[in-house]
Amino acid sequence: MKRKKIVVENKYGIHARVAAAIVKEASKFSSKIYLEREDNNLRANCKSILGLLALGASKGTVLNLEVEGEDEERAFNAMRELLEGLSKDA
Amino acid sequence: MRKRLLVKELYEELKPTLSFELLAGSAGLLKSVDNSRIQKPGLALAGFLKHLHTERVQIFGETEISYLNYIGKKEGKRRVRDLFSLGLSCVVVTKGLEVLDYLIEAAEDFTTPLIRSPKVSSYCIEVISDFLEDRLSPEISLHGVLLDVFGVGVLITGDSGIGKSECALDLISRGHRLVADDIVIVKNKRGVLWGTAPVRVQHLMEVRGLGIVDIKDLFGVSSIRERKRLDMIVRLLKWSESPSIERLSFTSRTKEVLGVKVPYVEIPVSPGRNIALLVEVASKLFLLHKNGITFNNIEKLLLGVEVDGKGVE
């Protein structure tokens, strides 16, 4: 399993469009991919949009990215790239 | 994870119910309450500080205040300062009782929030305990859909794309009620599990191909529920991944959630199988079991085949 702490950097946080992009990317892999909020333990499956929206992650929220499965290496890199690469104004 | 609650949250959220007023020690509002039980200091004011739990909310009722009046100002002040110097999380004075100056002074000096309510002790204790229990009970978030099916709280789980939401939609259109889709917050309150939806996505559901839909708007107010006991877990599996399909009877398999054993069933999914109907039947079986009804005819088959109705030798 791979884990990494990620801080939401973009202005509007994980809103619907960002969540949809995460789901789209996560669904390409067979690994289980989760994002968990550090402060309240809410844990969302990145392959479905509602959980991500339920997190209510705004700018500055600390999330733990967790990836586990056969293609975890590729999935982890792709997710990290997507999350860290969110444009500041997105 | 052990949960923390700030005195500030307690104060603000119970303010409307208990008409709280903050008398002193506002600097201590960021202290935390880590125990859902409250305490009446009682004997601690007489100097016996041994079993005082500083992390609990301390309730000063008629007994405490009148005792302080009884022992006089000088002695009272000393005892109160001894007590407050332990670092109490917060103190609630009930019944709108007159607060002595040295109590306010101690609260300020030891940055302990001193809160007053006009309600009587027993009522305050009940409301505060209830609130604390709700906020401090252990919780986790589970991935799945929680529904009320014939009054049974059923959590449908399974891998992404297996058809949980579609099955849930089918159940809702049959008149069952949605609690939460995708992410369910489960709390263990005194050994009973309760599920709710995160506030942001309450009543919402994601249906692949249709996007996010609001179940309350689509199916009406009777199609949703705010919270429900978690009674049973149904896991949907691909037929190929389910080597141990139950062939005989609704067994007593369980899954542990926050230390509580929850009845657990696996249902293999394949084209043509009506999953919603199977979940309905599973709920009915659960109800029968709960009511102590066993299936005599089926159990007879499990016991052995009788010879000419004369029993097994």
Side-chain angles (χ1 to χ4, degrees):
Chain A
M1 189 183 68
K2 294 186 74 90
R3 269 180 88 99
K4 189 181 185 343
K5 200 175 277 188
I6 282 173
V7 182
V8 179
E9 297 279 11
N10 66 318
K11 196 169 159 189
Y12 299 105
I14 298 190
H15 57 80
R17 260 188 309 279
V18 172
I22 295 175
V23 172
K24 199 173 161 198
E25 191 63 29
S27 302
K28 292 179 188 165
F29 305 97
S30 69
S31 290
K32 292 197 155 88
I33 306 173
Y34 292 97
L35 274 174
E36 186 177 57
R37 254 188 102 121
E38 273 218 329
D39 51 355
N40 62 7
N41 281 13
L42 265 182
R43 193 177 148 88
N45 182 335
C46 290
K47 292 183 185 174
S48 59
I49 201 161
L50 275 188
L52 290 168
L53 293 175
L55 287 179
S58 56
K59 189 178 177 193
T61 301
V62 183
L63 299 171
N64 275 317
L65 170 67
E66 246 181 62
V67 185
E68 188 171 21
E70 273 175 21
D71 54 2
E72 63 181 33
E73 197 66 44
R74 284 194 310 125
F76 182 78
N77 290 334
M79 293 307 293
R80 203 190 55 200
E81 221 164 274
L82 172 72
L83 290 163
E84 290 178 344
L86 286 174
S87 134
K88 294 260 182 291
D89 299 317
Chain B
M1 191 185 84
R2 211 185 152 82
K3 293 179 67 191
R4 298 177 78 83
L5 176 79
L6 299 180
V7 177
K8 194 174 171 208
E9 296 172 74
L10 172 90
Y11 172 67
E12 280 167 5
E13 288 179 47
L14 290 184
K15 202 173 170 181
T17 326
L18 295 177
S19 318
F20 275 160
E21 52 175 325
L22 184 63
L23 301 174
S26 55
L29 283 176
L30 293 177
K31 285 189 176 181
S32 64
V33 182
D34 300 335
N35 198 315
S36 63
R37 290 162 66 189
I38 59 96
Q39 190 167 36
K40 286 204 82 191
L43 277 180
L45 287 175
F48 186 67
L49 299 170
K50 204 171 163 192
H51 294 288
L52 197 103
H53 299 271
T54 54
E55 76 284 6
R56 297 191 193 169
V57 175
Q58 301 291 327
I59 307 280
F60 271 56
E62 186 114 61
T63 327
E64 284 75 14
I65 299 289
S66 62
Y67 177 72
L68 288 175
N69 282 322
Y70 167 76
I71 58 176
K73 189 171 175 188
K74 199 173 153 228
E75 194 54 23
K77 185 173 175 175
R78 195 174 63 81
R79 302 273 175 85
V80 162
R81 291 192 79 83
D82 283 351
L83 177 63
F84 276 65
S85 68
L86 297 176
L88 307 176
S89 57
C90 82
V91 173
V92 176
V93 178
T94 60
K95 223 178 168 184
L97 292 162
E98 199 57 52
V99 173
L100 306 139
D101 327 334
Y102 59 76
L103 210 54
I104 293 195
E105 223 177 273
E108 285 295 348
D109 292 351
F110 298 104
T111 54
T112 304
L114 182 66
I115 301 165
R116 181 162 64 182
S117 164
K119 310 276 195 244
V120 295
S121 295
S122 53
Y123 182 69
C124 286
I125 291 172
E126 205 181 297
V127 173
I128 295 172
S129 306
D130 225 45
F131 173 78
L132 291 178
E133 195 152 319
D134 191 57
R135 297 294 298 266
L136 293 173
S137 9
E139 70 172 46
I140 49 163
S141 54
L142 297 178
H143 181 59
V145 194
L146 180 63
L147 294 134
D148 174 337
V149 181
F150 298 124
V152 180
V154 183
L155 176 75
I156 302 173
T157 66
D159 291 342
S160 298
I162 192 105
K164 296 183 292 287
S165 293
E166 290 74 8
C167 168
L169 207 54
D170 202 345
L171 285 163
I172 293 164
S173 80
R174 288 162 187 245
H176 303 295
R177 304 167 77 180
L178 174 77
V179 182
D181 177 36
D182 201 28
I183 182 165
V184 185
I185 300 176
V186 178
K187 265 186 194 174
N188 176 347
K189 281 181 85 176
R190 292 188 211 173
V192 178
L193 300 174
W194 291 94
T196 52
V199 186
R200 275 189 196 81
V201 292
Q202 229 172 14
H203 316 153
L204 299 183
M205 211 167 156
E206 189 204 358
V207 186
R208 252 147 256 204
L210 299 176
I212 298 173
V213 297
D214 188 316
I215 295 299
K216 194 178 173 187
D217 287 347
L218 279 172
F219 293 91
V221 72
S222 62
S223 63
I224 46 115
R225 253 197 97 129
E226 214 158 277
R227 64 172 203 164
K228 178 71 197 158
R229 226 183 120 128
L230 173 56
D231 293 308
M232 179 167 70
I233 298 175
V234 173
R235 185 173 175 81
L236 304 185
L237 287 174
K238 282 193 198 128
W239 194 278
S240 55
E241 286 169 359
S242 39
S244 59
I245 301 165
E246 190 53 56
R247 298 268 177 180
L248 293 176
S249 74
F250 187 70
T251 53
S252 49
R253 283 176 78 177
T254 56
K255 262 254 148 72
E256 209 170 281
V257 177
L258 291 172
V260 178
K261 287 201 167 98
V262 185
Y264 172 76
V265 201
E266 284 178 351
I267 296 181
V269 175
S270 66
R273 270 167 74 87
N274 186 336
I275 306 302
L277 178 66
L278 294 173
V279 173
E280 274 187 339
V281 173
S283 304
K284 289 188 180 186
L285 286 171
F286 172 85
L287 284 175
L288 285 169
H289 269 256
K290 200 175 142 206
N291 285 295
I293 296 163
T294 50
F295 310 104
N296 286 328
N297 291 334
I298 303 169
E299 255 163 34
K300 236 188 258 168
L301 288 174
L302 291 170
L303 287 175
V305 181
E306 298 177 359
V307 183
D308 302 331
K310 286 176 194 145
V312 183
E313 281 181 27

